[in-house]
Amino acid sequence: MPVQAAAVAALGLLLTGLLAHRWLPSAEDGVNRALAAHRTPLATALTDGASLLAGTGSVITLAPLCAAALLLAPHVPRWREAAFLVVAVAVAAQSAGFLLVALVVERERPDVPHMDPAPPTSSFPSGHVGASVAFFGGPAVLASRRLHGVWRRVVMTLLLVIPLLVAASRVYRGMHHPSDVAGGMVNGACTPALVKAALLPHPGKESAKPVPVPSPPTHTQHPAGCRGAPSARV
């Protein structure tokens, strides 16, 4: 986790330092201004819902519900998977990395009208995008382990498309630059990957069952003089 925070912070310092006066920041400002100039009521309503879905209140509410559903699942409670969701998805680890990076990187938000209240944190990385990647990426990891066939592809696609919609909504609403949401995706994706490696065993190891070892055959020895015992030859 410290290596993850350091890498994301280095990317943010690169954007605000060496690349501050290069082509990338100016191109990003053009994207934000173009979207702000073409806002529509429908797009505004849709992006408002996407931002609300990735808000702190929504994530804190939905993550424990998903973990409880895993614990109450029939047959076998999935303790490891529930712990994975709580640690990786409930923003405990992801928000810690976000706050550490925001303390180091100080980047102003786009110079366009903001459609949401701006918290007193750096624009890089996007906390909403990081939370959405961690929140919806966690169930996508579990779906890849438990589902098969068409259902696996459908569920994983739906879960992974939502963070992309959240990223587009944050840029559209003037809250982040495109590189801010890219940094949020990197920061949010690393957390489930690290927690998965720590808490979830490999599916092959988890499903493998020990093969019973056959016991060696036992030979019955008949004492001398018993009925049925082989006769001794002279």
Side-chain angles (χ1 to χ4, degrees), residues 94-220:
Q94 194 276 331
S95 62
F98 162 73
L99 293 176
L100 289 175
V101 175
L103 289 175
V104 177
V105 181
E106 297 181 359
R107 190 181 194 186
E108 296 183 357
R109 298 186 182 274
D111 188 16
V112 296
H114 302 158
M115 303 187 72
D116 295 324
T121 56
S122 172
S123 181
F124 181 93
S126 172
H128 277 72
V129 174
S132 67
V133 172
F135 180 72
F136 294 100
V141 170
L142 300 184
S144 68
R145 296 165 56 89
R146 296 295 179 180
L147 301 180
H148 303 280
V150 177
W151 279 110
R152 178 181 180 181
R153 292 191 293 269
V154 171
V155 172
M156 290 186 63
T157 300
L158 292 176
L159 290 172
L160 296 178
V161 163
I162 295 177
L164 298 178
L165 298 178
V166 173
S169 72
R170 302 306 289 169
V171 177
Y172 173 87
R173 300 178 71 81
M175 304 308 299
H176 295 285
H177 306 88
S179 59
D180 298 336
V181 300
M185 286 187 176
V186 173
N187 193 42
C190 288
T191 301
L194 293 174
V195 179
K196 173 181 176 293
L199 295 181
L200 297 182
H202 190 275
K205 295 181 179 179
E206 186 180 24
S207 59
K209 296 182 179 180
V211 179
V213 179
S215 57
T218 58
H219 300 281
T220 305

Side-chain angles (χ1 to χ4, degrees), residues 18-107:
L18 182 62
L19 299 179
H21 303 288
R22 303 291 180 177
W23 63 270
L24 180 60
S26 60
E28 287 190 310
D29 292 338
V31 171
N32 288 110
R33 286 192 292 266
L35 291 174
H38 296 85
R39 289 171 177 168
T40 63
L42 177 59
T44 298
L46 293 176
T47 56
D48 184 37
S51 293
L52 180 63
L53 188 62
T56 303
S58 301
V59 172
I60 292 178
T61 302
L62 295 176
L65 293 178
C66 295
L70 288 172
L71 294 178
L72 297 176
H75 305 302
V76 180
R78 310 187 192 281
W79 295 98
R80 285 182 176 270
E81 295 179 351
F84 165 73
L85 284 178
V86 169
V87 175
V89 180
V91 199
Q94 194 276 331
S95 62
F98 162 73
L99 293 176
L100 289 175
V101 175
L103 289 175
V104 177
V105 181
E106 297 181 359
R107 190 181 194 186

